[in-house]
Amino acid sequence: MSITCKDLHFNYNGKPVLTAVGLAVREGEFCVLLGRNGSGKTTLIYCLAGLLNPFRGSVTIDGIDLSLATRGDIARRVGLVPQEHVDIFPFRVLDVVVMGRTARFGFAQRPGQEDYQEALRILSELNALDLVERNFNRISGGERRIALLARAMLQAESTLLLDEPTNHLDLNNQYRLLTKIKKLCREKGICVVASLHDPNLAARFADTVTMLQNGQVLAGGAVDRVMTASMVGQLYQTPIQRIETDDGGMFFAPIPLDTPSPEGYNGDAQDGRWT
């Protein structure tokens, strides 16, 4: 289980959006894409899902070149949770989740009892059994994110692509959801690529980070190596301090632009720590 893209270029109407992007995510790895609005994160997610075709470069999943794969082959391996989702027919949440199985069905095949049982198991893992009988169109935006994640988990064998999965979720549910995703990586060896806005969530949950700036990779690699105050500040174009937490993690906080740097803080140091 792996996903790789090499020298990926993508244009919208002749305007470069992604330029020479490279990415490699191994089995059981949680990779987070970080970048400002318009940096190319969503476009990269859709290229990795095979929904957008780059004009140069390649994407491979489990060793299969997406340019040579059928939609069915891709759908069985890759589950996508998009950033936004329009209303659909008033199905129960359980039925929406079971729709993830259609990628594996033949012509005129219908979901069976086993498919519904597996959908219930996944919803239980996500602490979302209370949604089972509810109308998908009438639940909150955060609840829809959970339902669509469950559908993607039911569909995909090896890879999940998540575009802003924590949108519309409160702090508690952000941590619950990302904890579940991290557990999937560790216990099932699933590859996950997720775009996030919050560098602190990336620092807490990701194994690797790829920073995108103007459609190019600014930096990529293990969280501890890549996520320095200097690099995060450069990515978001704002002064940043990195604070070590009691549990050995890290927290990034912007330094107000209208105040001097805190006394004793070396803001230009690579690790950006207090001195």
Side-chain angles (χ1 to χ4, degrees), residues 53-259:
N53 297 318
F55 82 87
R56 198 164 86 202
S58 63
V59 177
T60 60
I61 294 179
D62 300 338
I64 298 174
D65 189 329
L66 293 197
S67 67
L68 304 176
T70 65
R71 280 304 324 161
D73 287 338
I74 297 171
R76 282 188 289 273
R77 289 172 171 82
V78 181
L80 170 67
V81 179
Q83 187 174 147
E84 300 294 340
H85 190 85
V86 298
D87 287 352
I88 60 176
F89 292 107
F91 294 114
R92 297 180 304 166
V93 166
L94 180 59
D95 295 318
V96 171
V97 174
V98 170
M99 289 176 189
R101 281 293 202 215
T102 58
R104 306 184 186 188
F105 291 165
F107 179 72
Q109 187 176 352
R110 298 172 62 86
Q113 188 64 29
E114 290 184 2
D115 300 309
Y116 280 93
Q117 288 300 320
E118 184 66 8
L120 288 169
R121 184 191 64 77
I122 291 173
L123 286 166
S124 177
E125 284 186 357
L126 296 174
N127 299 316
L129 283 177
D130 59 311
L131 300 179
V132 167
E133 295 296 331
R134 295 178 63 185
N135 184 326
F136 180 83
N137 292 343
R138 295 182 180 177
I139 59 178
S140 71
E143 289 168 332
R144 289 190 189 192
R145 305 294 292 174
I146 293 171
L148 293 174
L149 175 62
R151 185 177 71 173
M153 290 168 59
L154 189 65
Q155 171 190 324
E157 296 174 351
S158 65
T159 303
L160 289 176
L161 304 175
L162 315 175
D163 192 10
E164 296 294 345
T166 55
N167 271 6
H168 310 298
L169 295 179
D170 59 43
L171 184 64
N172 177 278
N173 281 315
Q174 286 179 3
Y175 272 69
R176 283 180 178 274
L177 181 65
L178 293 176
T179 298
K180 291 293 185 183
I181 292 170
K182 185 79 169 181
K183 185 178 179 182
L184 280 175
C185 295
R186 289 176 174 171
E187 294 185 356
K188 296 189 176 182
I190 290 177
C191 299
V192 175
V193 180
S195 63
L196 296 176
H197 274 301
D198 189 345
N200 292 312
L201 291 178
R204 174 65 64 177
F205 292 101
D207 298 306
T208 63
V209 166
T210 295
M211 297 181 175
L212 289 177
Q213 189 172 70
N214 300 320
Q216 301 181 59
V217 175
L218 176 66
V223 168
D224 287 342
R225 180 174 63 83
V226 173
M227 297 196 69
T228 65
S230 175
M231 290 306 303
V232 174
Q234 184 178 345
L235 180 68
Y236 292 104
Q237 297 181 7
T238 190
I240 293 287
Q241 56 183 314
R242 188 176 98 167
I243 303 168
E244 306 297 330
T245 60
D246 292 340
D247 62 357
M250 64 187 89
F251 180 83
F252 296 90
I255 300 172
L257 299 177
D258 58 351
T259 60

